[in-house]
Amino acid sequence: MSTKWRKAKVALGLNLCMYVPGTHDDFSPSLDADGRFSDASTVSPVAGKSDSDHSTATSQIPSSSGLRFSKVGSRSSKKTCAICLRTMKPGHGHALFTAECSHAFHFHCIASNVKHGNQVCPVCRAKWKEIPVQGPSSDLIHRKARINSVDWPQDDAWMTVLRRLPTVRMDSPRQIPSIFHSSEPSVFNDDEPLDPQPELLEKNSPAKDAENSYAETLEIKTYPEFSVLPSSACHENFTALIHLKAMFTRMSTNNTTLPISNQTQCAPVDLVTVLDVSGSMAGTKLALLKRAMGFVIQNLGPSDRLSVIAFSSTARRLFNLRRMSDSGRQQAIQAVNSLISSGGTNIAEGLRKGAKVLEERKEKNSVCSIILLSDGQDTYTVTGPSGANPKPDYQSLLPSSINGGMGCQIPVHTFGFGVDHDAASMHSISEASGGTFSFIEAEDVIQDAFAQCIGGLLSVVVQNLSVGVDCLHPGVHINSIKSGSYKSCLSSDGRGGSIEVGDLYADEGRDFLVSINVPTGHAGEKTALLKVGCVYRDPISKEVVNLKAQEVTIQRSENVGGCVVSIEVDRQRNRLQAAEAMAEARGLAERGDLGGAVSVLENHRRVLSESVAAWAGDQLCIALDAELKEMKERMASRRVYEASGRAYVLSGLSSHSWQRATARGDSTESTSLVHAYQTPSMVNMLARSQTMPLGGPSPSPPIRPGRAFLPSPQPR
């Protein structure tokens, strides 16, 4: 009996592990033949060792967890799965998983084991810091994953460095990561001084030469719904379009104008990332988050400053706001590398710390923003529905300083990570602060979502933009201004109005519809209806710029044939009506009427297809139709809507209300139809994320055309 038991123990690999305190050498990355970092001990679906590697000698094999393993018996243990006791052989149709302690299992066996809460090795009881997690459910609609969530590239230098978690003694109990126990100052006024000579050219761009001069302007164009109206009739609810675009161009010596969205002067940024490291972020999610943060750190310039807040049950500032010089990047990577997951989800405390960093800084860059990522629901602050308040109180998550309490609004760009996050709360936070909400459905595209966001933040060319609208004809009155989430107001007499737009990225546009009443006129006369002016702040020169006002005019005639509506006006009316249909469908879905929601979306697709812009083959109409179709599919059942439909719809509403790109579904893919509002700077940064080897040099990426559906035809 003892002989059989001994053979069984050998077959299962029992009592072959002993704990040895980790040393620095255990964690030193080695270089492979190509000069890149390699890490043989990281998670892999296949062991990758030949039989010759499994010697019967008693030498010790180091592992990244501080364990050393005897090679005795490893050959037989790697042939048998300790869970199902069946043979493990590569090429037999079963993926294999090799743990940090070197024990191997069928991937489906150990993934099921972990899913039920077991995060220790079934053989040696070693506690794992990285666990096998099944990829997102196969029923996610149209998922396009670029990175396999299990089989990461082993020669990816960033992934190799960022996956190395600090060694923690297995016999030392801890409930909250040590980063939350370290001391931090009571006042965050220890920010690193600004760059005395801030770089004026975008990262990795050619130096400015004497033959080129730079000029930036904000372009204003106006379009009446109809260019000609009958002189004998008044027209109620006549629509005028205000089109704004942050034109950023390079003027050469021969007065030719070249777009340089990838070579612009850009304002330096103060960026605070507020990252969820609760227990649900363990394993794959945390590793992918570290990789995405590595990309952000790599693409910030020496004049940009970064601070990182980590939160779970409580929140902690990992490092002060500091410039991303070479040393700053190195320190930032080390801080991100220290992240480990544990505890609950206290979003409010994370935001409070993030706002505190920006409130108490001694010096300020021109642009500031917060990026918030979470995969769960706040378990500390949000009060649930009650009799007096039928909806959760999401406003309690926002510090007052973020929503204008400092005299200026701090935009919070929120990212819902995976299918278990609270989309309603993340959307509420972004809407109240002036930021956007992105839905990261496939966890492995988190880097692309971050890339699109910082591509915009690093290209701000207009700040504090305010638009003024005044009536010119004495008989004209303004009925309404359709401005989405942007604050607008009308004078009491209806003769004037304004829109607070805020910041614009390079080559980014905004469109607003103004509804007015037009009185009768005289045949042959040209009637001036409105005057539109803009005031903004240049983030580089700090100067306030007043643009020359543009007028909205129409021609009056006795005999008017078939009036042709302006395609520009019709395009934007389609966008607004589509957003209204999305909001209506979402309201029905939340009340449980999925059939009614689907009917609303389908009806508006039909209305959209009959519009003038759609008949003209307008690209925005095509994109809106694709988006409405996708939303309809994500409302097919309550399960699908709860898993992804709500987040997809809210991210779409965020994008349309702010007229700014958000990530949702496959919207960051170049083949996707749902990519409205992307600027060339965003597309450029996405190209870096999707094509540049993170462990290698940082060449200038190829220039790709912008995908924002914001054409600039000549006014009529």
Side-chain angles (χ1 to χ4, degrees):
M1 180 64 69
S2 62
T3 302
K4 291 182 179 180
W5 173 237
R6 187 178 302 109
K7 290 181 178 179
K9 288 196 295 182
V10 170
L12 295 177
L14 294 176
N15 63 21
L16 297 177
C17 298
M18 55 184 175
Y19 180 78
V20 177
T23 64
H24 176 74
D25 293 335
D26 292 336
F27 296 89
S28 298
S30 57
L31 293 175
D32 60 17
D34 296 327
R36 296 190 239 182
F37 290 105
S38 63
D39 183 3
S41 63
T42 50
V43 178
S44 172
V46 182
K49 288 182 177 290
S50 63
D51 287 344
S52 60
D53 291 325
H54 303 299
S55 169
T56 57
T58 58
S59 60
Q60 306 297 323
I61 306 172
S63 79
S64 61
S65 63
L67 294 172
R68 295 181 183 272
F69 313 98
S70 171
K71 289 186 179 179
V72 176
S74 62
R75 180 170 182 169
S76 59
S77 67
K78 288 188 179 292
K79 290 184 178 180
T80 305
C81 175
I83 297 177
C84 67
L85 299 181
R86 294 180 181 177
T87 302
M88 296 188 301
K89 288 184 179 180
H92 281 216
H94 293 288
L96 306 182
F97 174 82
T98 302
E100 302 163 40
C101 55
S102 84
H103 291 117
F105 311 87
H106 287 126
F107 185 85
H108 65 274
C109 292
I110 195 61
S112 177
N113 196 55
V114 169
K115 182 178 180 181
H116 291 87
N118 301 318
Q119 298 187 17
V120 296
C121 177
V123 177
C124 65
R125 312 306 296 171
K127 187 173 182 180
W128 292 339
K129 289 174 288 184
E130 293 182 346
I131 59 175
V133 180
Q134 292 280 15
S137 175
S138 60
D139 64 353
L140 293 179
I141 301 173
H142 301 312
R143 178 189 171 196
K144 294 186 178 181
R146 189 170 51 83
I147 308 167
N148 187 301
S149 58
V150 176
D151 188 14
W152 295 306
Q154 297 299 304
D155 60 350
D156 188 325
W158 279 100
M159 204 61 193
T160 300
V161 174
L162 296 178
R163 272 187 306 200
R164 296 182 173 276
L165 302 182
T167 303
V168 179
R169 287 191 60 88
M170 298 170 63
D171 56 355
S172 60
R174 59 174 176 85
Q175 297 299 323
I176 299 178
S178 58
I179 59 172
F180 295 104
H181 292 304
S182 58
S183 61
E184 65 180 8
S186 58
V187 179
F188 293 161
N189 60 356
D190 55 350
D191 53 299
E192 185 176 359
L194 301 179
D195 189 352
Q197 295 180 336
E199 60 172 353
L200 295 182
L201 294 179
E202 186 181 358
K203 294 76 193 165
N204 302 317
S205 65
K208 175 181 176 181
D209 55 51
E211 294 183 355
N212 295 318
S213 61
Y214 293 90
E216 59 177 300
T217 61
L218 181 71
E219 180 185 56
I220 309 176
K221 289 186 178 182
T222 59
Y223 303 90
E225 182 178 4
F226 299 100
S227 59
V228 181
L229 285 181
S231 57
S232 59
C234 61
H235 200 117
E236 295 186 356
N237 296 319
F238 182 86
T239 302
L241 168 65
I242 301 172
H243 172 75
L244 310 172
K245 188 170 184 180
M247 302 295 292
F248 207 85
T249 57
R250 181 177 65 194
M251 304 299 296
S252 65
T253 51
N254 60 0
N255 292 326
T256 58
T257 302
L258 301 174
I260 57 163
S261 297
N262 62 312
Q263 300 174 2
T264 65
Q265 288 182 311
C266 62
V269 179
D270 282 347
L271 178 63
V272 179
T273 57
V274 180
L275 309 176
D276 186 345
V277 292
S278 59
S280 57
M281 287 289 294
T284 304
K285 285 183 178 179
L286 188 60
L288 292 171
L289 172 59
K290 290 181 179 182
R291 176 174 184 160
M293 280 302 301
F295 179 85
V296 171
I297 293 167
Q298 186 183 26
N299 283 278
L300 292 177
S303 298
D304 301 315
R305 299 191 299 179
L306 174 70
S307 181
V308 176
I309 307 295
F311 71 91
S312 56
S313 301
T314 183
R316 194 78 195 164
R317 188 190 69 165
L318 298 189
F319 60 89
N320 63 314
L321 193 65
R322 64 182 60 169
R323 292 192 290 113
M324 289 295 97
S325 58
D326 289 342
S327 60
R329 286 194 182 109
Q330 183 178 6
Q331 292 167 347
I333 286 294
Q334 291 172 351
V336 169
N337 185 34
S338 72
L339 293 175
I340 48 180
S341 58
S342 177
T345 305
N346 195 336
I347 295 176
E349 182 64 12
L351 283 176
R352 188 187 70 81
K353 281 282 174 71
K356 182 179 172 68
V357 170
L358 295 177
E359 287 174 21
E360 299 176 353
R361 54 189 168 152
K362 291 188 297 184
E363 300 184 51
K364 297 180 180 181
N365 268 325
S366 300
V367 180
C368 72
S369 187
I370 293 175
I371 286 178
L372 167 66
L373 177 133
S374 178
D375 75 330
Q377 302 187 21
D378 187 281
T379 53
Y380 289 83
T381 308
V382 175
T383 57
S386 62
N389 183 19
K391 296 182 179 180
D393 180 20
Y394 293 126
Q395 291 301 314
S396 60
L397 295 172
L398 270 176
S400 61
S401 58
I402 287 181
N403 194 13
M406 292 171 53
C408 63
Q409 198 172 45
I410 303 174
V412 180
H413 298 283
T414 61
F415 294 81
F417 195 22
V419 297
D420 296 322
H421 73 278
D422 189 346
S425 70
M426 301 296 272
H427 179 258
S428 295
I429 291 169
S430 65
E431 281 293 300
S433 65
T436 56
F437 165 58
S438 291
F439 169 37
I440 306 175
E441 180 177 16
E443 296 164 359
D444 38 22
V445 298
I446 178 176
Q447 180 173 300
D448 290 348
F450 277 15
Q452 179 171 270
C453 181
I454 66 170
L457 292 175
L458 296 177
S459 64
V460 173
V461 293
V462 171
Q463 286 191 298
N464 303 330
L465 172 60
S466 178
V467 180
V469 184
D470 295 293
C471 297
L472 293 177
H473 191 284
V476 172
H477 290 82
I478 301 174
N479 297 321
S480 65
I481 298 177
K482 300 286 188 180
S483 58
S485 291
Y486 294 100
K487 182 180 179 181
S488 63
C489 63
L490 292 176
S491 61
S492 58
D493 60 359
R495 296 282 296 165
S498 64
I499 311 168
E500 301 301 322
V501 182
D503 296 355
L504 288 183
Y505 304 150
D507 298 297
E508 192 172 41
R510 294 290 181 269
D511 292 280
F512 305 107
L513 294 181
V514 181
S515 175
I516 59 177
N517 290 336
V518 180
T520 59
H522 300 286
E525 75 173 4
K526 190 174 185 180
T527 304
L529 304 176
L530 299 173
K531 179 177 67 174
V532 181
C534 292
V535 179
Y536 70 93
R537 177 178 177 268
D538 186 308
I540 300 295
S541 66
K542 310 295 191 299
E543 295 178 350
V544 175
V545 180
N546 283 275
L547 292 186
K548 181 181 178 180
Q550 300 292 315
E551 294 184 356
V552 180
T553 61
I554 57 171
Q555 190 71 34
R556 309 308 292 264
S557 175
E558 288 186 357
N559 299 315
V560 178
C563 295
V564 180
V565 67
S566 164
I567 290 183
E568 289 77 19
V569 173
D570 194 55
R571 175 190 298 118
Q572 297 307 320
R573 186 154 46 204
N574 286 338
R575 174 182 62 82
L576 288 170
Q577 291 176 349
E580 291 171 356
M582 294 173 193
E584 182 183 355
R586 187 230 167 186
L588 291 170
E590 294 296 335
R591 293 191 293 272
D593 187 5
L594 288 174
V598 169
S599 178
V600 167
L601 295 175
E602 189 58 38
N603 288 339
H604 191 72
R605 288 186 66 197
R606 185 164 50 252
V607 172
L608 184 66
S609 67
E610 297 171 355
S611 67
V612 173
W615 279 97
D618 179 65
Q619 290 298 304
L620 178 57
C621 289
I622 295 174
L624 289 172
D625 181 72
E627 190 173 2
L628 292 167
K629 181 175 182 290
E630 181 78 5
M631 289 181 181
K632 174 186 170 184
E633 293 175 356
R634 289 176 186 264
M635 292 181 177
S637 69
R638 173 57 53 179
R639 180 186 62 81
V640 174
Y641 180 72
E642 294 287 346
S644 67
R646 177 185 292 113
Y648 189 91
V649 172
L650 288 175
S651 183
L653 288 174
S654 175
S655 180
H656 292 303
S657 66
W658 294 110
Q659 299 181 56
R660 182 161 279 173
T662 62
R664 58 192 187 280
D666 62 356
S667 65
T668 58
E669 294 289 332
S670 61
T671 57
S672 172
L673 290 174
V674 187
H675 49 208
Y677 314 117
Q678 279 185 352
T679 67
S681 298
M682 293 178 180
V683 175
N684 189 20
M685 194 63 72
L686 273 168
R688 297 189 191 189
S689 174
Q690 296 172 350
T691 63
M692 189 177 71
L694 295 180
S698 304
S700 296
I703 300 174
R704 293 169 56 183
R707 302 189 179 278
F709 301 112
L710 299 168
S712 301
Q714 294 299 319
R716 298 178 180 178

